[in-house]
Amino acid sequence: MTARFDAIGLVVSDMAASVALYRRLGFAFPEGAEHQPHTEAALPGGLRLMFDTEETVRSFLPAWQPPAGGGRTSLALRCDGPADVDALYEELVGSGYHGELKPWDAFWGQRYAVVLDPDGNGVDLFAPLAPAGE
């Protein structure tokens, strides 16, 4: 038997707020997803991003509690260029999302920033500082 990577699942406290942010970032959640206990968006390569409400998880794991003390998960989104990292970060923070790390030129060769989603998961925004091969 072989297992293969198929999906990324996040537990969300507010489905509507999470769907709104990730739609804004280009994830294609279906219409009405914000009112469902479980939803999925298809990702390139056949993977899926899945959200389940806390209530859904507690329906089969009653003792489940959200983690305390900060997030351990982040989704990294590649932007077209360094200026796009700055623009998207400013757009999201200007819309009320928490900016965890302002854009900066990281020593590993990327323009890099972090915004937190409604549950405190990192949404890493990055772009290479120089085109490949330079």
Side-chain angles (χ1 to χ4, degrees):
M1 175 172 33
T2 302
R4 66 179 175 84
F5 185 53
D6 184 71
I8 299 163
L10 298 177
V11 179
V12 300
S13 58
D14 183 334
M15 183 67 83
S18 294
V19 167
L21 170 63
Y22 286 93
R23 276 185 180 149
R24 189 175 202 158
L25 294 169
F27 292 82
F29 285 97
E31 285 301 316
E34 56 276 5
H35 306 293
Q36 299 300 315
H38 171 89
T39 191
E40 301 178 8
L43 303 175
L47 296 175
R48 298 170 292 143
L49 177 60
M50 304 183 308
F51 292 163
D52 287 294
T53 63
E54 292 177 357
E55 295 79 18
T56 299
V57 173
R58 284 193 192 102
S59 75
F60 58 85
L61 191 60
W64 182 87
Q65 293 295 317
R72 293 180 173 221
T73 302
S74 66
L75 300 178
L77 304 179
R78 183 179 181 139
C79 298
D80 290 332
D84 297 309
V85 171
D86 293 14
L88 183 53
Y89 178 89
E90 291 303 323
E91 175 190 329
L92 294 171
V93 170
S95 295
Y97 295 102
H98 177 76
E100 179 75 0
L101 179 63
K102 290 181 180 182
W104 67 293
D105 292 343
F107 61 87
W108 56 83
Q110 295 175 336
R111 186 72 174 163
Y112 189 85
V114 179
V115 175
L116 298 182
D117 78 5
D119 292 294
N121 297 305
V123 177
D124 302 357
L125 309 172
F126 73 94
L129 287 171
E134 287 188 17

